[in-house]
Structures are given as C-alpha cells and as structure tokens.
Amino acid sequence: IKASSGGGGRGMRVAHNEPALVSGFHAARAEADAAFGDDTVYIERFVERPRHVEVQILGDKFGKVLHLGERDCSVQRRHQKLIEESPSPALDDEQRAMLNAAAVRMAEAAKYHNAGTVEFLLAPSGEFYFIEVNARIQVEHTVTELVTGIDLIQEMIRVAAGEPLSMDQDDIVIRGHAIECRINAEDPAKDFQPSPGLVEAFVPPGGPGVRVDSHCFSGYRIPPNYDSMVGKLLVHRPTRQEAIRTMRRALSEFVIDGPKTTIPIHLDILGHRDFRAGTHDTGFLERYFS
C-alpha cells in the first residue's frame, strides 16, 4: 500500500493477508495525509528481496526521448538511498536493453519533456516492475554524468527553454563504472540519529576519478532544520572493483571533524562480501548493519 503523493518511504505498508491490508490501508492513509496533505493511496505487487534499479531519461518538446543507462540504488535505509552506482551489477545485457526500452516507451507515451528517472524493482527471478517516475533531477544524477560524460543540468535547462536535445541515442555511450556515497550528518551507531553542529574541519579527498559535490567548509554549522546530507562523494574508474577500491580510499581520506557522519558505515558496506560481489538487495543494510 503506497501513498500517491508519497516519497522517501513514507505512507507505505506491506500486507501479507487481508487483516494487514485493512489495517495498513488506514495507517498509510493517515501517514500520507499528515506528511503530504493527500490521503490517496494505491496498491502494487510486493517483491521479496528486490533490487532498486532506475533509468535516467531526457525528453524534449519535439517528442524525442533518450535514456542514459541505469543506476542501481539498492543500498537503502528505510527506503532512503545511501549508495548508487552505474551500471547495475545485477543486469545482463538483455535485461538492461529491456529496462531501458521500457523507460523510453513510457516517457514517449506520456509525452514527457524534462530530465527524469523511471524507477523499477528488479525481482530475483529477473522480472522487473515499474514503481514511479521522479519528474525532476535527482541527487544521484551525478553518477550518470560520470559514466556518460553528459552534463544533465545543462541538458535539462536547454529542454526547459524549448530547445531540442543535442544528441541521439547512438551518441550516448556508457564508459567505466561510477559509485556515489551520500555523506550525511548522521550517527550510524545510534540508528542514524541526526548530528547537526559545527564542522571544525572539512578536508575532502581528491585524486584521479574522485569528485566531491558539497556546500560544506571548515567552520560551517550544519543546521538541524533540513536534510542531513552534507555532500556527495563520487568515483569513476574503468571497472567496478577499481571503483570500490578508489571509493574506500577516498572515504578513508575524507575529514569531517565535529558532527558524526555516515562515512564509517559506507566503509563497512563497501568492504562487505555481498556488496563487493554485487549480490545485495534493498534489505541488505537492515540484515547486516541493523
């Protein structure tokens, strides 16, 4: 059961039987109304141990829709993404082609023009199910920028100005592997309790293939009022294993003194055998790091 206006995992309930369906329906409506001012809900298939895979699309006002490959966002906590990567280690070439084609067909049918993300759940059987469209740019768009070399913000502004897309599908080539870690001011040792306060020192890592997007600096005070993200740490390397190694090095060199951050849990996740093998799913974090 899912809130129509929902996001971030709010307004969601899983029902395995009729009593749970009835109680979950009322609970989801109440939570949705409180969070979004809209108590409309709908139901969809519940997939056991899924992967969360999403396709980046661009559409212009002339009917052209392009995909820029997929991102795997399966490392989540309470439906909030922690780590994203592209390409997905869970897909083979045939699945990837089907997923990308489905996203493009949907956007074409809706006459969609903007940057956007078509999100799917990938079942262990290999079947995939549509979740939703995020009709906007997303936090993890930077992962796609690294593997495609395309500035998504620039393309989005051009499309919004009424210009046609400046490329064709054949021009888009996925090169290498990119990983993003969301660096949040939260304490993983205390159930990700927010950790606002003064940043006494902020020294981001560097080196080949490393990118840091952040508004933070030494002396900045993280407020308690807003989202806890203080930065995005990204790496882009020729292979997934190289990207994992580079990310672990960058995380270990990232200095944020003062507030607690999610850097330690990211290091643990990247060192876990399931993540390194690419066999994790959306329940991975709760199973091993609860």
Side-chain angles (χ1 to χ4, degrees):
I1 307 157
K2 198 170 183 180
S4 297
S5 298
R10 289 176 291 180
M12 291 173 58
R13 295 291 186 278
V14 176
H16 292 283
N17 51 46
E18 187 174 346
L21 177 63
V22 174
S23 62
F25 171 78
H26 293 295
R29 286 191 65 185
E31 185 176 355
D33 187 47
F36 312 112
D38 178 5
D39 67 357
T40 308
V41 297
Y42 62 97
I43 60 173
E44 65 184 13
R45 179 188 295 269
F46 176 66
V47 182
E48 297 276 2
R49 301 187 72 154
R51 302 287 292 244
H52 183 131
V53 183
E54 59 190 31
V55 178
Q56 178 70 56
I57 57 170
L58 282 171
D60 64 23
K61 295 182 179 179
F62 303 93
K64 180 189 284 188
V65 177
L66 307 175
H67 73 80
L68 290 85
E70 84 285 349
R71 297 185 291 260
D72 195 306
C73 310
S74 299
V75 179
Q76 303 180 2
R77 181 187 69 87
R78 298 175 186 166
H79 307 289
Q80 294 285 329
K81 301 166 186 172
L82 270 73
I83 297 176
E84 300 95 355
E85 60 181 309
S86 181
S88 170
L91 297 177
D92 58 31
D93 290 343
E94 183 178 358
Q95 290 172 312
R96 179 168 289 113
M98 291 174 61
L99 198 75
N100 290 332
V104 170
R105 285 199 308 273
M106 192 228 64
E108 288 174 339
K111 295 180 173 58
Y112 186 83
H113 51 87
N114 190 6
T117 307
V118 186
E119 302 198 345
F120 299 91
L121 290 182
L122 178 68
S125 64
E127 296 177 296
F128 57 88
Y129 301 90
F130 170 73
I131 310 175
E132 63 186 8
V133 172
N134 279 293
R136 54 179 171 81
I137 207 74
Q138 286 191 278
V139 170
E140 62 272 21
H141 77 277
T142 40
V143 174
T144 298
E145 289 186 335
L146 288 177
V147 294
T148 62
I150 295 169
D151 187 329
L152 285 172
I153 304 301
Q154 184 180 74
E155 291 297 326
M156 182 178 67
I157 293 171
R158 286 175 172 168
V159 167
E163 296 182 17
L165 285 166
S166 61
M167 69 200 82
D168 295 317
Q169 190 64 62
D170 291 342
D171 298 324
I172 300 169
V173 180
I174 307 299
R175 293 184 174 88
H177 198 95
I179 300 176
E180 173 181 280
C181 288
R182 301 189 184 198
I183 310 302
N184 297 332
E186 298 172 340
D187 187 353
K190 295 184 178 179
D191 195 28
F192 292 86
Q193 176 179 307
S195 181
L198 179 66
V199 178
E200 297 170 2
F202 184 86
V203 184
V210 176
R211 169 176 169 175
V212 179
D213 289 8
S214 179
H215 61 287
C216 244
F217 53 87
S218 298
Y220 175 74
R221 184 172 293 277
I222 301 170
N225 314 81
Y226 308 107
D227 191 285
S228 61
M229 187 184 299
V230 295
K232 301 186 295 184
L233 175 60
L234 298 107
V235 300
H236 181 220
R237 306 303 294 154
T239 68
R240 185 172 188 265
Q241 292 308 314
E242 289 177 273
I244 291 173
R245 288 196 296 270
T246 301
M247 178 61 83
R248 295 188 75 190
R249 188 268 300 168
L251 285 164
S252 67
E253 294 177 357
F254 205 153
V255 176
I256 305 178
D257 287 341
K260 299 289 186 180
T261 73
T262 51
I263 289 175
I265 194 73
H266 283 306
L267 281 165
D268 288 342
I269 292 168
L270 267 70
H272 194 279
R273 63 184 184 277
D274 284 3
F275 181 84
R276 296 178 74 87
T279 58
H280 56 290
D281 56 61
T282 56
F284 164 77
L285 197 72
E286 280 75 14
R287 280 198 301 278
Y288 295 113
F289 298 100
S290 60

